[in-house]
């Protein structure tokens, strides 16, 4: 099957040009000058007119948690529902986290995640490994996983008793990564300090969701980010700090990069748009009642008045933020978030956004925050390079997988579960209700197959394949 995507503006991380894109089977075969004799000679099985539209690489979301067990429940999107929602929103590759907790064997968990995902996904998928129990067995497994295409390892400085690694354990895991070429991903919040603040808040009757944010202040993120960067310098491991929400933490990442270290930052749409004030009520109320649980995630949404969002966009422009991912970790209000009524510390942490990342970041282009090229870079190309997918994913070039999005800048997207709005994630609410985007995902191809068109999702369960990743391709 050959497809010709005609006359679109093909965007890359570095530029744009009006070209026809020829797809042959699963791959991109050629970029051809529109109207040239060569184009005229091509007899494609299907022609897609992209006049007036952007043709971009399929989105690469390197931070999702499908079906992740958390706090006595599990994330409400399965690999099936979550990757279908990703397809709706123009994301054609996800990298999900295999979870190893205390007492579990890493390789058993990897096998479990393969079983959960295989045959269910609408788009391609890869895995990172969460090491929640750094010990001799898990350190050995880190070496084995490199050969299995799982080349990045997430550690936690938060969640004592669940996932938290001591500084000594972090050093050991970083030494392993420095040796085997893997990438350390860090959840950088000072969990011990946070636990004290949480206990104090609950003891004084501050039990509502709003206090999730006030008990995880930016200092706890800044301190942990700084410590992680210093330990990375000590061990020589590359470090990617996930879901950064505080401007002070990003300043530490920028500082480390300026010092020449392989330190990278990631942020998420929720930290660019939503804020702690969303958990406060309308005028007159002191804070929203339990509805604030919709926006409970860690690190928390930051106070708008503290000025984080402008700084985060600045760091996207200037490079300390390498990738924008979703940290997609959805829970329903009913029976899930509700577990925390009367005690905010029992609310499962996470927000669902896998469907909306491409749109929300495109709105950053419309708002004059980032260029078109930076949009493509942080959503597609840079995450592919950071996580060893580039060449196959993240670029429109001959030989790459034909993962392509046709994006309509004249279109419009209303997000939410209300009438006329879009939301295909398995959640009973949208954290993004009422957000309006001046653009629209028009068509999505995954390895040469149209999986979303103007009629909606037209893909199939099981089309998505596991992608074994190489080592990071962008180390300084
Ligand atoms: O609130 C969050 N971020 N939930 C997902 C788990 C994690 O730490 O990434
Ligand atoms: Zn995390
Ligand atoms: Zn996460």
């Amino acid at each position: 099957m050959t497809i010709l995507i005609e006359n679109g503006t093909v965007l890359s991380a570095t530029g744009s040009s009006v070209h026809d894109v020829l797809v042959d089977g699963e791959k991109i075969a050629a970029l051809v000058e529109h109207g040239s004799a060569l184009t005229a000679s091509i007899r494609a099985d299907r022609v897609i007119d992209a006049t007036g539209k952007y043709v971009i690489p399929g989105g690469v979301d390197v931070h999702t948690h499908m079906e992740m067990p958390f706090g006595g429940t599990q994330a409400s999107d399965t690999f099936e529902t979550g990757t279908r929602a990703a397809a709706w929103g123009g994301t054609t590759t996800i990298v999900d986290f295999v979870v190893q907790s205390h007492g579990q064997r890493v390789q058993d968990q990897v096998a479990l995640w393969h079983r959960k995902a295989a045959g269910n996904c609408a788009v391609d998928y890869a895995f990172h490994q969460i090491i929640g129990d750094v010990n001799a067995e898990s350190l050995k497994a880190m070496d084995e996983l490199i050969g299995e295409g799982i080349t990045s390892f997430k550690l936690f400085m938060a969640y004592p008793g669940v996932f938290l690694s001591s500084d000594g354990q972090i050093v050991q895991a970083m030494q392993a990564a420095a040796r085997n070429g893997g990438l350390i991903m860090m959840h950088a919040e000072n969990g011990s300090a946070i636990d004290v603040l949480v206990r104090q808040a609950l003891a004084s009757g501050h039990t509502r969701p709003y206090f999730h944010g006030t008990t995880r202040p930016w200092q706890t993120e800044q301190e942990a980010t700084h410590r992680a960067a210093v330990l990375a310098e000590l061990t020589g491991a590359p470090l990617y700090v996930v879901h950064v929400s505080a401007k002070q933490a990003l300043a530490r990442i920028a500082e480390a990069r300026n010092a020449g270290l392989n330190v990278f930052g990631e942020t998420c749409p929720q930290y660019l748009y939503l804020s702690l004030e969303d958990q406060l009520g309308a005028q007159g109320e002191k804070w929203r009642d339990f509805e604030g649980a919709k926006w409970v995630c860690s690190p928390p949404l930051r106070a708008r008045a503290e000025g984080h969002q402008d700084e985060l966009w600045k760091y996207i422009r200037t490079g300390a933020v390498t990738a924008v991912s979703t940290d997609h970790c959805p829970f329903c209000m009913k029976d899930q978030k509700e577990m925390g009524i009367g005690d905010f510390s029992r609310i499962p942490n996470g927000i669902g956004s896998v469907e909306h990342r491409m749109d929300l970041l495109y709105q950053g282009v419309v708002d004059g925050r980032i260029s078109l090229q930076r949009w493509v870079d942080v959503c597609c190309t840079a995450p592919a390079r950071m996580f060893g997918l580039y060449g196959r994913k993240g670029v429109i070039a001959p030989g790459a997988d034909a993962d392509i999005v046709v994006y309509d800048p004249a279109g419009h997207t209303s997000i939410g579960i209300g009438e006329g709005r879009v939301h295909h994630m398995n959640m009973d609410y949208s954290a993004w209700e009422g957000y309006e985007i001046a653009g629209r995902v028009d068509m999505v191809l995954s390895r040469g197959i149209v999986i979303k068109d103007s009629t909606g999702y037209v893909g199939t369960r099981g089309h998505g394949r596991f992608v074994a990743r190489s080592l990071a391709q962008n180390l300084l």
Side-chain angles (χ1 to χ4, degrees):
M1 170 84 172
T2 53
I3 299 177
L4 190 69
I5 304 173
E6 271 195 332
N7 203 28
T9 301
V10 180
L11 297 180
S12 73
T14 52
S16 69
S17 60
V18 177
H19 268 112
D20 296 346
V21 179
L22 180 63
V23 172
D24 186 5
E26 297 198 341
K27 300 282 181 186
I28 294 168
L31 269 71
V32 190
E33 198 183 325
H34 182 65
S36 67
L38 196 52
T39 308
S41 72
I42 294 170
R43 295 280 166 271
D45 298 319
R46 180 171 180 182
V47 175
I48 295 169
D49 180 10
T51 305
K53 297 175 184 165
Y54 297 127
V55 179
I56 64 171
V60 179
D61 187 344
V62 295
H63 193 149
T64 70
H65 301 281
M66 306 302 174
E67 310 178 29
M68 184 178 95
F70 193 104
T73 184
Q74 67 172 31
S76 57
D77 262 320
T78 61
F79 278 91
E80 182 189 356
T81 63
T83 57
R84 195 166 57 214
W88 272 97
T91 285
T92 52
T93 308
I94 62 159
V95 189
D96 203 84
F97 289 83
V98 177
V99 180
Q100 180 237 10
S101 309
H102 282 269
Q104 294 177 327
R105 287 190 64 247
V106 168
Q107 289 288 14
D108 292 345
Q109 295 305 106
V110 171
L112 176 61
W113 250 254
H114 276 296
R115 284 199 299 278
K116 289 195 217 194
N120 286 320
C121 292
V123 299
D124 286 351
Y125 60 96
F127 294 142
H128 312 285
Q129 178 67 50
I130 286 176
I131 307 282
D133 190 359
V134 178
N135 57 38
E137 182 272 326
S138 54
L139 289 167
K140 181 165 162 281
M142 285 174 70
D143 291 340
E144 293 163 2
L145 290 186
I146 297 281
E148 296 170 26
I150 300 175
T151 56
S152 39
F153 308 97
K154 184 178 176 189
L155 304 173
F156 286 79
M157 300 169 108
Y159 305 122
V162 186
F163 288 128
L164 182 140
S165 289
S166 68
D167 289 352
Q169 288 174 311
I170 291 170
V171 166
Q172 285 178 286
M174 284 183 166
Q175 285 170 335
R179 195 181 55 243
N180 67 25
L183 176 67
I184 294 293
M185 306 172 79
M186 190 63 77
H187 180 128
E189 289 185 294
N190 183 323
S192 317
I194 287 168
D195 258 22
V196 171
L197 300 180
V198 168
R199 279 201 303 276
Q200 289 171 347
L202 290 172
S204 54
H206 290 155
T207 62
R208 293 171 189 222
Y210 174 69
F211 295 101
H212 171 80
T214 59
T215 54
R216 306 178 92 91
W218 60 261
Q219 290 89 343
T220 59
E221 191 182 353
Q222 180 199 38
E223 184 279 329
T225 303
H226 175 70
R227 188 158 32 104
V230 171
L231 296 180
E233 181 173 25
L234 174 77
T235 56
L239 172 71
Y240 176 91
V241 184
V242 294
H243 49 46
V244 181
S245 69
K247 62 181 179 182
Q248 296 86 351
L250 267 169
R252 291 298 153 110
I253 291 168
E255 211 173 275
R257 291 171 66 79
N258 288 340
L261 300 177
N262 277 316
V263 174
F264 304 85
E266 169 195 87
T267 193
C268 312
Q270 50 271 34
Y271 304 124
L272 297 168
Y273 287 102
L274 305 173
S275 65
L276 188 59
E277 287 83 350
D278 287 316
Q279 291 168 313
L280 287 169
Q283 249 187 343
E285 289 173 61
K286 195 154 178 221
W287 48 72
R288 271 187 214 267
D289 209 343
F290 195 68
E291 205 195 340
K294 290 178 175 176
W295 298 280
V296 164
C297 57
S298 295
L301 303 182
R302 299 285 169 205
R304 204 171 285 276
E306 289 174 0
H308 298 277
Q309 292 179 352
D310 284 348
E311 288 290 294
L312 262 54
W313 283 108
K314 180 193 85 182
Y315 284 117
I316 292 178
R317 280 196 303 279
T318 56
V321 170
T322 295
V324 179
S325 312
T326 53
D327 191 8
H328 177 75
C329 193
F331 297 98
C332 291
M333 284 295 273
K334 177 138 184 48
D335 295 337
Q336 293 200 297
K337 295 274 185 185
E338 281 177 358
M339 291 162 69
I341 292 176
D343 178 352
F344 67 83
S345 72
R346 294 184 185 278
I347 300 170
N349 289 195
I351 285 182
S353 311
V354 75
E355 185 175 350
H356 305 311
R357 181 184 65 123
M358 299 301 288
D359 281 324
L360 288 164
L361 270 290
Y362 178 71
Q363 189 60 38
V365 176
V366 175
D367 295 343
R369 299 280 202 172
I370 53 172
S371 67
L372 281 169
Q373 285 69 31
R374 197 71 186 128
W375 172 49
V376 171
D377 199 15
V378 294
C379 289
C380 314
T381 310
R385 276 160 52 77
M386 186 84 248
F387 291 97
L389 291 161
Y390 186 75
R392 281 175 292 172
K393 309 293 186 189
V395 63
I396 295 188
D401 285 352
D403 292 358
I404 300 172
V405 174
V406 179
Y407 197 87
D408 185 359
H412 189 89
T413 308
S414 299
I415 302 179
I417 55 174
E419 188 65 22
R421 300 179 169 274
V422 298
H423 170 105
H424 300 91
M425 300 172 287
N426 186 33
M427 302 167 70
D428 58 4
Y429 77 96
S430 169
W432 299 98
E433 193 69 47
Y435 271 74
E436 302 288 342
I437 308 294
R440 178 173 178 273
V441 174
D442 204 43
M443 198 170 244
V444 181
L445 282 77
S446 166
R447 277 184 286 104
I449 305 282
V450 175
I451 59 170
K452 195 253 166 202
D453 64 17
S454 56
T455 66
Y457 174 70
V458 290
T460 47
R461 174 181 175 185
H463 163 80
R465 284 189 207 139
F466 175 71
V467 187
R469 295 183 291 114
S470 63
L471 301 179
Q473 295 156 299
N474 63 337
L475 298 187
L476 297 170

